Amino acid sequence: MSECTHECSSCGESCAERQTPQSLLKEANPHSRVGKVYGVVSGKGGVGKSMVTSQLAVTMRRRGYQVGILDADITGPSIPKAFGVSGRAEGSEEGLLPRVSAGGVEIMSTNLLLENETDPVVWRGPVISGVVQQFWTEVIWHADYLFVDMPPGTGDVPLSVFQSIPLDGIIIVASPQELVSMVVEKAVKMAEMMEIPILGLVENMSYLTCPDCGRVIYPFGEGKTEAAAQRHGLPLLAKMPIDPALAALADEGKIEQFQGNWLDQAADVLEGK
């Protein structure tokens, strides 16, 4: 047999190069120091995935860990605004440097690369996927926990993240509307297809508390996400309420000042991994 030239069109189907699956995982920047990498995903938009990512990062930072957020929601980045981070990201010969929030959270997002943060990102799927990979391969991260804020759905960019970044697991965010079971199932099945461990579910916008009488109200119904979690054999890590104070702080770029502890159980799970 002649020596393999790695040109598959010139060899037969029995060629070992053709039969052996090739890993698509990318190496991190050689100057990075990254511990665990977790994706925060949702099967649909509008469920508060970025809010959960932000609060999870804040919770782990308060526990004394170095934390970073890779904002993979390229066309709808919201992480920098929530943390009050602005200005252009800088770099060196070694790589691109993330911006750092007031509380010490490292952040990389497309908003930190644009001339004007309100400029739309009008890029096609392959370009967006390439940028996400560059956020992993070219940015110099120093994080015990790196959270990847994923775009919603199961399209090109989530697939690119699953294939190119070595995730240690994912957390699925859902809201308790009628379609939540179907939405959760799509995210679960995609993770299973890619052989990515699922740490559990977080139900966002679960309830609200009346500021006058203290009564707990479930505007979208109660228990739907919990039932979906049980159906898939997954733990329900948290139920996050609708809280105007949290939304206001995020709008002001002061999300690190919020004192909610809803994600303590999720943080306990991360520390136990």
Side-chain angles (χ1 to χ4, degrees):
M1 180 181 293
S2 61
E3 183 178 353
C4 180
T5 63
H6 301 285
E7 175 56 54
C8 291
S9 62
S10 65
C11 63
E13 293 183 359
S14 60
C15 173
E17 288 284 335
R18 177 172 289 192
Q19 290 184 333
T20 304
Q22 300 298 307
S23 174
L24 299 176
L25 292 177
K26 306 294 184 181
E27 294 288 338
N29 185 300
H31 301 285
S32 288
R33 181 193 60 77
V34 179
K36 298 288 188 177
V37 185
Y38 294 106
V40 183
V41 309
S42 63
K44 65 183 291 293
V47 299
K49 168 186 49 59
S50 294
M51 187 70 77
V52 172
T53 303
S54 300
Q55 281 294 284
L56 198 54
V58 170
T59 300
M60 298 308 291
R61 183 75 185 115
R62 286 176 180 165
R63 295 190 179 197
Y65 296 103
Q66 296 296 316
V67 179
I69 300 178
L70 189 163
D71 189 356
D73 196 350
I74 301 299
T75 60
S78 58
I79 296 296
K81 179 176 175 57
F83 282 86
V85 173
S86 60
R88 299 287 292 276
E90 299 178 352
S92 67
E93 293 182 357
E94 297 178 341
L96 196 60
L97 302 174
R99 302 285 290 177
V100 181
S101 73
V105 176
E106 294 185 350
I107 295 170
M108 179 51 65
S109 170
T110 49
N111 267 13
L112 304 178
L113 302 177
L114 300 174
E115 189 70 33
N116 188 331
E117 65 180 19
T118 60
D119 290 343
V121 177
V122 188
W123 298 339
R124 294 190 182 276
V127 176
I128 294 175
S129 296
V131 171
V132 171
Q133 292 179 19
Q134 287 178 304
F135 283 175
W136 171 248
T137 61
E138 297 186 16
V139 174
I140 302 174
W141 296 101
H142 294 96
D144 301 309
Y145 292 93
L146 179 64
F147 297 103
V148 182
D149 184 27
M150 304 270 279
T154 55
D156 282 351
V157 179
L159 179 61
S160 180
V161 171
F162 282 160
Q163 290 181 325
S164 61
I165 299 178
L167 297 175
D168 292 286
I170 66 168
I171 293 173
I172 299 174
V173 181
S175 56
Q177 284 95 325
E178 289 292 345
L179 292 177
V180 71
S181 59
M182 181 188 70
V183 170
V184 168
E185 189 164 347
K186 287 180 181 291
V188 168
K189 286 185 175 180
M190 184 173 187
E192 291 174 345
M193 288 172 60
M194 305 305 297
E195 298 183 345
I196 305 295
I198 304 172
L199 275 65
L201 304 182
V202 171
E203 182 179 84
N204 192 32
M205 298 182 284
S206 178
Y207 60 92
L208 59 88
T209 302
C210 176
D212 295 323
C213 66
R215 178 189 172 203
V216 175
I217 303 167
Y218 296 90
F220 302 113
E222 187 177 1
K224 296 174 183 176
T225 306
E226 190 166 4
Q230 292 175 351
R231 186 162 53 253
H232 294 288
L234 299 172
L236 182 58
L237 300 176
K239 290 185 176 183
M240 293 181 60
I242 299 170
D243 194 319
L246 175 58
L249 286 172
D251 287 342
E252 296 171 8
K254 300 176 180 179
I255 197 167
E256 291 170 296
Q257 295 181 13
F258 189 70
Q259 298 301 315
N261 59 357
W262 306 308
L263 289 169
D264 280 355
Q265 182 181 341
D268 292 342
V269 171
L270 295 182
E271 285 185 323
K273 294 294 182 183

